[in-house]
Amino acid sequence: MRELIFLEPVFTHNIWGGTRLRDEFGYDVEGNDIGECWGIAAHPNGDSTVEGGSFGGKKLSQLYSEHRELFGGIEGDKFPLLIKIIDAHDNLSIQVHPDDKYAGEHENGSLGKTECWYIMDCPKDAKLVAGHNARSREELDSMIHGGRWDSFIRELPIEKGDFIQIDPGTVHAITTGCLILETQQNSDITYRVYDYDRLTNGKPRELHVEQSIDVITVPAKPEKDSLSHTPERTDSAADVLIENDFYKVFKISVRGSFEFEQRYPFLNVSVVEGSGTLDGHEIKAGTHLIAPDGYGSMKFEGDMTVIASTVSRRK
Ligand code: ZN
């Protein structure tokens, strides 16, 4: 039987970061500007390391290229997904991502970025930026060049447990106090539209206004198609949150014990709340691991919420 692959995350320091990733999850990382925990990552800007077991010490990118059988022999030279926990101690910049076609043509063959968010925690009456209010390309152009941010951005009220899909071309931003599990394509291409005129080391961060205008979808997708409330379970269950061309994402609620059949090419597993065991291994909020191809039945015990993901079978 194949073993679970536990991963040691990589952290980023950001102008908008905080200390929750260390304080609440016990990650061993210094600083008061910890923005992101890249829990399951095989990217040049962050590559998780396997913790223990037969592959201990290997980077995920290396494991993926040398042992493709663990990932169901899927095609593609890059591990397809990237799983992060984001702690927004301050507002993130207003941004947009390109799709595969635009990124391939303008960003050295890079992948585009489709992403989705599970809200692990947020303040009362929190709002996220998802979408915009421009009705035409002309209006988009004039709102952005005129700096009419209040009328441009669309804010959606959110609560803990909400799920938001961000297609390429969607204007978006995570706001102060939100803690989010992000499942995304393995890409780091971001076009920053507006950064609240903040300074880093005395200078504003670079904006990518023209690329943003190129890729923003007009009009934006309706609110109701962007946001959903996920089920809150008192009994154990696995709920599918989304399935599209890039990923299939599950919310697994463990209340006592639960068996989940790992019948996908691989399954990313991140504990977002609570603690317990998985096939006898202790896991808790902040644990990230991969169950490889052919793993079969996974037995969860305890009281916890897990976000799991795999590549869509439609691809
Ligand atoms: Zn994004």
Side-chain angles (χ1 to χ4, degrees), residues 250-271:
F250 304 85
K251 177 183 185 180
I252 300 176
S253 308
V254 181
R255 309 284 174 251
S257 84
F258 184 61
E259 280 197 38
F260 184 90
E261 189 65 20
Q262 198 322 58
R263 55 190 172 81
Y264 304 96
F266 63 92
L267 188 75
N268 297 322
V269 174
S270 298
V271 183

Side-chain angles (χ1 to χ4, degrees), residues 6-24:
F6 286 85
L7 295 163
E8 210 174 292
V10 177
F11 297 88
T12 68
H13 295 270
N14 305 78
I15 182 175
W16 44 261
T19 60
R20 289 180 83 174
L21 293 170
R22 178 177 60 238
D23 299 343
E24 294 179 25

Side-chain angles (χ1 to χ4, degrees), residues 16 200 228:
W16 44 261
T200 310
S228 60

Side-chain angles (χ1 to χ4, degrees), residues 48 65 106 127:
S48 337
S65 50
H106 296 86
K127 287 178 181 153

Side-chain angles (χ1 to χ4, degrees), residues 110-144:
S110 174
L111 291 176
K113 187 165 161 188
T114 299
E115 68 190 43
C116 59
W117 301 337
Y118 176 80
I119 311 296
M120 296 168 63
D121 190 31
C122 66
K124 197 173 171 294
D125 302 322
K127 287 178 181 153
L128 286 174
V129 176
H132 62 81
N133 298 313
R135 285 155 298 182
S136 65
R137 292 243 147 234
E138 294 67 39
E139 196 174 22
L140 176 81
D141 206 86
S142 96
M143 280 175 152
I144 291 179

